[in-house]
Structure formats: structure tokens, C-alpha cells
Amino acid sequence: MSAASMLSRPVYGTLSPQAGKHHLLVADAEGAAAILDLAKNAPADFFAKAHIIYIPGASGPEYIDALKALNPERFYEGPSFAAALPRLRQTFDAAHMGTRLYIAGSEGLIGQVMQVAAEAGVDHASIQTEQRGSLARRVQCVHCKGITENVTTQPVKCSHCGLLLLVRDHYSRRYAAFQGVCINAEDPTDIPPTEEIFR
Amino acid sequence: MGINFKQETFRDDFSFRNSPEQVRRFPFPFHEDGYMYSVNIEPHVPGAKNTVFEHLFDVDEHYVSEMHDRALVLAEDPLRCQSLPHMTLAGWDTLELLMTEKAKSYPEHFSLTRDGDKWHWVNRPLGIDDRFTFGDTSTLPYDPLEYITRQSQGDFAVLDQRDGNLWMDAGIVTTQADWSLDFDIGMNFFEWHAPVPLAHEMGVFKRALKFLMALQQGQPARRHNWTMTINPRLDTSPENYHKWGTDRTTVTPENVGDKVHLRVEIQMFFRLPRSNALLFPIRCYLIKMDELVTSPKWARRFHRVLRDLPPELAEYKGLVRYRPTVVEWLSKYDDGAPTSPGFGPD
Amino acid sequence: MRAGSNRIDVTVTDVVVVNELVKRFHFERTHGGILPTFSGGAHVVVEMRDEGKTRLNPYSLMSSPLDTRDYTISVRRDDAGRGGSLFMHREVKPGQRMVISNPVNLFSLDLRAKKHLMIAGGIGITPFMAQTAQLAGRGGNFELHYACRNDALATYADVLTARYDRRIHLYRDDHGEKLDLEKLLSTQPLGTYLYVCGPAGMIKWVRATAAEAGWPDETVHFEHFAAPQPGKPFDVRLAVSEVDIRVGEHESLLEAIEAAGLNPPYLCRGGVCGQCETNVISYDGKFLHNDHWLSEEDHRSGCKIMPCVSRFEGKSLTLER
């Protein structure tokens, strides 16, 4: 199986303000810069109807003041995606049609927010996304189904079952993960070198 | 006169064999001495007697054993059968289609009695006799899709049609050619075909999608595909690839005839009436090289197809490791004589 | 395989005058048995033999998909149209045998919806008759807003209200009742899908208002069969079959091609499904594009035409047919 780029690989765009009654913006780390860029083109009343959920991660406090200076209707800063999740779910539950969703940052964050949005009935095609920062991947082991986070190497050892996985470009929105398939199933003694390629 | 159902295995001791009659009705997939992708979709209409196309849903001598193998796979990994919440209606559509066709085609083995929404289904080969309320999931032991496809040979994908695309939102997949329903469920037509090389560039999927979106009820269509499998293993899933992958290293000139199988998929497409979804059954047929070469034409032709296959396709189909051994073995059956056009064994 | 070729022999079992503009027609299989199951929003193409001419008009099925002993359609008389609705109103009587196509659905429900919000105008109510029956049978969450001229022309409003009570909202022009669409769209839960069927102006208004209110395109479904418009006759060369044809004033290009003995594929005959798309080889004149299928770019290019609804004015037109 080849790891060449394929059509299930998500294509991310550039955030741009959409017509809408409310705007929910979710970002991690460098994703904040995408929100700041969007702000340059946004109508004057855009952030008065906006809710920003931000997970600074490795970026630390770098972007916090600039995001707050946009004067969003609500601003939340959280330590991790897991910590922000209950708030995100509650926000979707209470939302009406006309609420637009924007996600920026790592591929893992984009995928996981899209998962929650899908549960709330938002079609993936209705969402604005922009990839910024780390290219590390979430990888699902097709054999044991466990997900290994922050994968930067090819191949990678499954953090659950220990099989050596080829990380394919084949991507599942439902799992918000790339597919990992045992790279040496036909000859387990064949151990290819590990290279750091998703950074 | 009914079908003589065999008891056999598709794992461990691999006792699967085709009877001579089954070999003669094998859907050999090459109409000429070469192979490249094409849309190759044709109307799925009942065909000649003693072919796999005699009925819309073929039931053959392997039925009981294949259903037993499916039950083993599902017990090990229930994720092989899944349905997103909005697909229940399509599940009922599927159940209706399979029950009515089976009862019509094989009255000695299956019967369906309908009194409004009170249905009575009898499947004699599997010893099933159930009364249930059509549309009421609580009256069946499984959801409707799983219930009926545990009694139907082949994999089934159910495709929701919306926003100008087809979405694989339900299915049961236990005899697949190396793709994962669990991973692919929810993907659209282009996404789940993403790993297939060459065909996207050829526009094959765009044309196929346009055709399928316009498919009407009562006018099913079919196409075929093929690959090869070492040992008569139905469950060549990516989930278990680390368990069966080593099979591919066990081919020797001495065991090609018994171990190497041509695997043909008959893919069908039916518009489902209530849900407006598409049912996509993928029926798999296996034949050993020893069985294949009992037709001199098939032997000559398959030798030429396999020898001349483009390398990308050989890699995608997972044939690279053993192709030379099989080509060498088949060459003994190819005297270079011309082959007649068409699929039949002569 | 040819789309649109699967026909059913039916007998008209009843013709009911619904109001001054609308008649309802009931069909059963001529040779007995139930008709094919269908899904809410589906249409059938009805074949009309009108003085040597064959008309093929699509009509939404409005009976319940849960009961297919018969099919029913409702036809609004269009005195200015090309004559299909007049034929149905004047010529079709109980006991008559007709031919219809298998049902085809180009306006299906998105079953993922947490709520279905339906907006109908006038005779655009018909697909919603079937869709509401389908949803009600499974406990689906829907709400229907229906605009009409007056009580006399509120086709089936009584039936719907009796069936679904407060889920039906009626707006009568002559009572000055007006749908506050902006407000309606602002209070719908996430996961709501919007369906609209009615006059072209209404569809345009609903789509534009929804887009302005931040409803993504994927969540807005509309059914708009453009009935073929009459126009000046024109001549066409069909290059593949080497035939010259004339398209009459009250005939569509597709009908003229069929009259010449060709069978191009079709599903909707209303400019939306894309099946009859035809390549233009050469032309000298101007296209009158009326379809919703081709892109604006396609329209400008002069390379393609949808013969079911579009026409041509000018010196010459050669098509790849």
C-alpha cells in the first residue's frame, strides 16, 4: 500500500467571515493567528456575535491579548481539548441555525471539533477550517482500533498494541484520524527505518 | 431439486472446494487477454440458467458455510457491521429486497408471507423461522440490515444519496478485499475509493458516480472486479492483515494450484425505495488455480492477464510478492494459442 | 442502460376536483398488484397522448409512501402553459389507461436532520403531502409553513391540519397573513434542514433569506421543475443520427428529439437532473437557457444545452445527438 496523497485527505482552507447570526471560533496554538487574520476582513459587528474557544498549548500566552482585543461576545481559554469539550458540546446543544463554525490550528483539533459538530447535526461541508502549526497526526490502528496522538514519524509504533504502522493518507472524519496499517505484516522481520516526516 | 449445501471452512484447515458444476458457473472476469479499469457497468438482469446471474441474488453451494464464517467474524469483531442512525429505513428496504428476491428465486429454500406489516420469514438452509413486524426493529433479534445480511452471501454497503454524492453510511463487511468498513463508514464515493490507484486520474469514479446517482428503482446495475487471495480465506480484512499477511510469503511452485485463488467480486447497485439510498452488494467468488485451469481458455487468458498487469495495479491488489511464481506456474497451461472472445470457458 | 425507460401501465381510478384550479388523479396498476414503494418527494413522469403528440410531464407523488395500492398526483391548471395540465384537466377520465414512469426522487429528505422545516407555496404543497406522511409514520420532527392565495386555493390545508394540527402553519394572502421568514429561520435548532417547493420567486426568496441568515447551502433543499416554456420554432441538426428536426412553438427540444425517434436519457424533464445534457457542435444564434443544471460558465460557453427546458433562436444549431 502506498502512502501517496489521496482524495480522502482533508483539504483545509483559509478562514473567512461567513454570513451568519453567531460565530463560533475554535483554535489551538498557532490557530489563533488564523482568527487574527480573519479579523482583518471581518465586518465591524462580527466579533460582537462571536464566541472564541482557545487552547493555547505550546503557544503559551503569545496570542491571548490579541484575541481578547477583538472583543468577542464570549472568550474562553482552556488547558486542553478534553477540558474544553463539555463547554463545546453545551454550546452546540444551545445553538441555532445561523451559527457558523470556524476551526483553526492542528489537524487533530480540527478533526475532533468537527466530530463534535457532526454529532450536533452540522455537515462538515458547512465548516470553515484552516490548518496552522504542527502537522502531527492522529493515527488509528486499523488492527486494535486504538488512536495514537501526535504522530510525527513514518512508520510509527501503535501506542496500544505495539504493531509497527504505516501511516496512510487515508483519513476518516468519523474518527478524526489517519489510518495506520501494519507495515511488515507479510514479513515481521523486515523493520524499515523510522523517519520524522509530519512536523 | 434444491442446492446441495456443503460443509466447509474458510480458515484454519481451509477445506473450501468448488464442485465441478460450481467451477463451470464461476464468473470469470476477463473478456480479453488483458486488463485495465473501466466503468464496465451493465444492467443487472436475470441471466442464463446455471450461471451466477440466473437470479438477482445468487445462492450457491457455499451458502451455509459462508454464513457460518460470517457469524464467526462478527463474534470476533462486531464493528464489521455498522449503521449510522439515519440509515435504519434503508436497512428495512434492504431486508425487503433480499427476502422477496430469495423467496421468489429459491422457493424450496426460502419463504416469505406478508400480511400487512406482519411478516413471516422462513430460511430452511439456516433453520430460521421468524415472525416480525416490518418497520419495528424491536421485533427482530438484530437491526434489519444485520438480520438479513447474516443470511445473505457477500458484503453489503448502503449508500445515502445527498448533496450530489453517495455516502457509505451503513454496511456489513466480512469478506472484503482489504478495506475497513469501520474506518470508511461516513465517507463519500470519492473518499472511500481514494486508495485505488490510476482510476481517479482516468475519471472512472466521476462517470460511475453520475451513473449511480441516476439509477432508478427496478433497474439495478452490476459490474465486476477481481483480485487474488492466498488460501480460500474470506476474511482478508485490514483488521486482521497482520494475521493473514504472511500467507502471501507461503506460495511455492508446488502449492500454487491449491493455495492461490482468483477472487472475483460481483458488485451490484439497487435503488432502495423508501430511503432513496443505494444498496451496494459485493459478492465474492473464489476459485483455485487447479480448478481454473480445468478450462484451457481461462488458463491461457489468466496467464496473459497476470503477466501483463501494470505494476501499480499489482501493488494495489497485493500480488507483488507471489506474482512471478504464479505466472510461471500458469505458463505451463499457455501454449500461445489464441483465445476466443467473451467470458465463457469455451 | 437508459434512465427513464421503466414504465408502468396504470388505470385512472378517480379524478377529484379539489378546487377551481386543482384536480387530483388516482392511478392503480392496470394488471393488478401494488405499485412500487417510493420515498417522499418522488415524482413520476406521466405520458399523455395528445392528438398524435406525446407529452411527458413530471408530477410529484402526493399519496402516502406507506400505502402504494394507488398513486395520486395533483395537477394545477395552467391556461398559459404548453397544454399538459389542460390535457390532464380536460381529457383524463376515470377508467382511462395511461403510462407512467417508475418513481424518481430528486427532492428527498435528508434523514440525518434533527428537524425538517418545510416551506410550500401553492401547488408546491404536493411533495410535502408524501414527505409529511413518511415522517409522521416514523415519529419524525417536522414543521410545515404553507403560503397560498386564499382559503379556496389552500389546496389540502384542511387535510394537513386535520392530520398534523399545530405542525401546520397557513398564510393566506387575502387575509394579509405573512410568513416572517427571518424570524422563523433564526429560531431553528442546529441540525435543521430546510425544504422549499413553490413558485420560482418564492424559492429564490427563501434561498436568499436563508443564505443571508447563515444557513449553509447543504441545509437548504429546493424543488424547482422549470416547466418547458413555449417559444419561437427553431431548426436543429442532430449530427450523430444525421437528422434535421424542427422544434415547434409548444414543443420542447427534448420532445422534438424524441419525436424524431431518438431516446436520450432523462429523469426530471425540468432542467435539474442533468441526464439529458447535450453537447453543442456548432451554432449561429442565441441560446435561451432555462435549466438549473449547467453552470453559468457552461451557459456562456455555448458548448452545452439542456434540451428538456432550453431553446434557441438564430440561424443554425448542430447538436451531438
Side-chain angles (χ1 to χ4, degrees), chain A residues 1-2 141-144 163-166 168 179-188 190, chain B residues 76-77 80 176-180 233 235-249 315-322:
Chain A
M1 274 183 262
S2 144
C141 172
V142 75
H143 311 291
C144 80
L163 283 173
L164 196 58
L165 303 176
L166 171 80
R168 303 175 79 198
Q179 190 174 52
V181 181
C182 183
I183 198 167
N184 54 0
E186 297 181 20
D187 179 3
D190 178 12
Chain B
E76 225 173 70
D77 182 3
R80 302 297 186 85
Q176 71 272 55
D178 205 5
W179 63 283
S180 168
R233 190 189 292 279
D235 178 26
T236 49
S237 59
E239 277 83 354
N240 286 334
Y241 177 47
H242 57 304
K243 298 176 190 162
W244 57 262
T246 49
D247 287 5
R248 288 178 174 168
T249 62
E315 192 187 336
Y316 171 65
K317 290 177 186 288
L319 320 179
V320 173
R321 214 176 269 273
Y322 54 83

Side-chain angles (χ1 to χ4, degrees), chain A residues 53-67:
Chain A
I53 292 180
Y54 182 53
I55 299 147
S59 296
E62 186 181 346
Y63 294 102
I64 306 265
D65 288 343
L67 288 175

Side-chain angles (χ1 to χ4, degrees), chain A residues 118-159:
Chain A
E119 286 166 24
V122 181
D123 192 284
H124 66 91
S126 313
I127 304 171
Q128 292 265 311
T129 56
E130 182 168 340
Q131 202 273 322
R132 294 264 184 141
S134 164
L135 288 169
R137 293 182 167 191
R138 273 164 62 86
V139 176
Q140 191 211 29
C141 172
V142 75
H143 311 291
C144 80
K145 309 291 182 187
I147 287 179
T148 303
E149 302 276 355
N150 293 315
V151 171
T152 58
T153 64
Q154 179 74 288
V156 66
K157 195 173 167 179
C158 173
S159 63

Side-chain angles (χ1 to χ4, degrees), chain C residues 114-161:
Chain C
K114 297 195 187 295
K115 178 177 175 184
H116 304 270
L117 180 65
M118 302 164 174
I119 299 181
I123 196 65
I125 193 67
T126 52
F128 296 125
M129 298 293 289
Q131 290 186 335
T132 50
Q134 178 181 334
L135 287 171
R138 319 204 134 251
N141 182 11
F142 68 87
E143 191 176 300
L144 171 69
H145 296 259
Y146 179 16
C148 56
R149 271 195 241 157
N150 52 45
D151 278 316
L153 291 176
T155 315
Y156 304 122
D158 49 345
V159 178
L160 287 163
T161 305

Side-chain angles (χ1 to χ4, degrees), chain B residues 226-268:
Chain B
W226 68 279
T227 184
M228 295 176 75
T229 299
I230 304 311
N231 296 327
R233 190 189 292 279
L234 287 176
D235 178 26
T236 49
S237 59
E239 277 83 354
N240 286 334
Y241 177 47
H242 57 304
K243 298 176 190 162
W244 57 262
T246 49
D247 287 5
R248 288 178 174 168
T249 62
T250 60
V251 179
T252 64
E254 292 70 38
N255 65 20
V256 166
D258 183 51
K259 215 178 215 331
V260 177
H261 294 72
L262 173 61
R263 179 187 188 106
V264 172
E265 281 180 359
I266 307 294
Q267 307 176 349
M268 292 156 272

